Amino acid sequence: MKYYVMTLFPEMIEQGMNTSILGRAIESGIIELEIKNIRDYTLNKHGKVDDYPYGGGAGMVMEAEPVYRCYEAICSETGEIPPVVYLTPQGRVFEQQMAETFAKQDILVFLCGHYEGIDERVLEEIVTYYVSIGDYVLTGGELPAMVMMDAIARLVPGVLNNEDSAQTESFSDGLLEYPQYTRPSEILGRKVPEVLLSGHHTNIQKWRQEMSIQRTKENRPDLYDKWLDFCEKKRYNEV
Ligand code: 6GU
């Protein structure tokens, strides 16, 4: 899988992506990352990428031309017209199921905006998906792009060492994850739940499932209701 990122702040993506599990996936070639500095695609000699908004108002708007030329360069390079994800609070809110769909793509282009956004005309021309990462406002699309790349990359075979750890985690079955413990068996006056030391595999699974349900019910009633619905449908063979 190959990610392209179009941005005015390439160092931000470089720094964020070159460490940890993602860094290793890039190093080993499972994931390819190419960062394009939109500023390199301006035609004026000052590298100006933004201008005042038509109609007035606060802030600056990123110009269409450098963004378009940057995308054209990516198209020439790949010999394709790859899908473009534009990171914007106006987009559809990113969730696990979208990560699963995106993980099947060979190439994804992330377009990061700044200032008061990007000239609408180039968005209409090149954007495939408008995506937000939640209901709060950030200064730019770089962090959201990295959030998405992280969530997607860990679903690509070979990126995680443990083959099934992507499967059993939060959200894959619609529930939050159960609590985890490691040695010592007692610390800070707190003991590891007895059942986990019992070696009784069925009881351990049952306990974990119960904890998942309890956590979801308490912390995310919205997810819990969805999960209940899903269980009911499964009971009547509708899923
Ligand atoms: Cl994708 N961009 C910005 N600027 N702010 C956000 C966001 C994206 N998602 C949530 N807040």
Side-chain angles (χ1 to χ4, degrees):
M1 149 155 248
K2 180 155 187 179
Y3 299 131
Y4 282 90
V5 182
M6 299 194 272
T7 173
L8 289 174
F9 298 92
E11 2 30 270
M12 203 173 162
I13 305 286
E14 263 153 41
Q15 299 292 331
M17 295 294 285
N18 286 334
T19 47
S20 175
I21 293 173
L22 283 215
R24 214 176 49 218
I26 292 165
E27 184 100 0
S28 71
I30 304 169
I31 302 282
E32 271 185 275
L33 172 65
E34 194 162 332
I35 305 165
K36 298 284 191 194
N37 190 342
I38 295 168
R39 202 177 295 281
D40 293 341
Y41 295 88
T42 52
L43 288 172
N44 62 82
K45 58 176 179 283
H46 309 292
K48 183 175 75 77
V49 289
D50 60 347
D51 209 334
Y52 298 99
Y54 275 118
M60 301 292 271
V61 176
M62 280 171 66
E63 295 167 19
E65 185 166 60
V67 173
Y68 189 68
R69 284 167 38 82
C70 183
Y71 181 61
E72 278 190 317
I74 293 169
C75 293
S76 310
E77 219 173 285
T78 60
E80 293 183 35
I81 304 171
V84 175
V85 177
Y86 176 47
L87 291 314
T88 169
Q90 274 82 51
R92 174 166 164 205
V93 177
F94 187 56
E95 34 97 16
Q96 190 63 27
Q97 203 153 19
M98 289 160 76
E100 282 162 24
T101 306
F102 285 132
K104 292 177 186 136
Q105 299 272 0
D106 295 325
I107 307 177
L108 272 179
V109 181
F110 293 93
L111 171 57
C112 305
H114 256 266
Y115 316 118
E116 292 306 305
I118 303 180
D119 191 307
E120 191 70 19
R121 293 166 295 181
V122 73
L123 300 179
E124 287 171 2
E125 194 71 25
I126 72 169
V127 173
T128 321
Y129 307 101
Y130 293 78
V131 182
S132 163
I133 62 161
D135 291 337
Y136 38 83
V137 181
L138 302 169
T139 53
E142 284 76 13
L143 285 170
M146 287 193 275
V147 165
M148 284 189 68
M149 287 189 279
D150 190 291
I152 297 164
R154 62 183 289 291
L155 300 175
V156 173
V159 170
L160 300 182
N161 347 310
N162 185 351
E163 277 305 319
D164 56 17
S165 63
Q167 274 300 304
T168 58
E169 268 166 277
S170 293
F171 298 113
S172 59
D173 61 355
L175 290 174
L176 301 182
E177 217 186 345
Y178 47 79
Q180 297 276 21
Y181 303 85
T182 187
R183 288 187 291 183
S185 67
E186 182 174 345
I187 194 167
L188 306 169
R190 295 162 191 268
K191 290 189 169 121
V192 171
E194 204 64 51
V195 62
L196 298 180
L197 309 176
S198 70
H200 195 302
H201 189 63
T202 317
N203 285 354
I204 292 171
Q205 269 193 319
K206 221 176 106 195
W207 180 85
R208 284 178 166 169
Q209 165 94 345
E210 277 162 15
M211 294 305 286
S212 282
I213 294 167
Q214 184 188 316
R215 270 191 174 187
T216 310
K217 194 173 175 179
E218 265 171 34
N219 300 343
R220 293 293 304 274
D222 56 325
L223 289 181
Y224 179 70
D225 287 344
K226 250 166 109 174
W227 178 76
L228 277 184
D229 260 18
F230 178 76
C231 290
E232 193 163 344
K233 286 203 179 107
K234 215 160 57 172
R235 233 157 70 96
Y236 292 105
N237 287 321
E238 288 166 27
V239 181

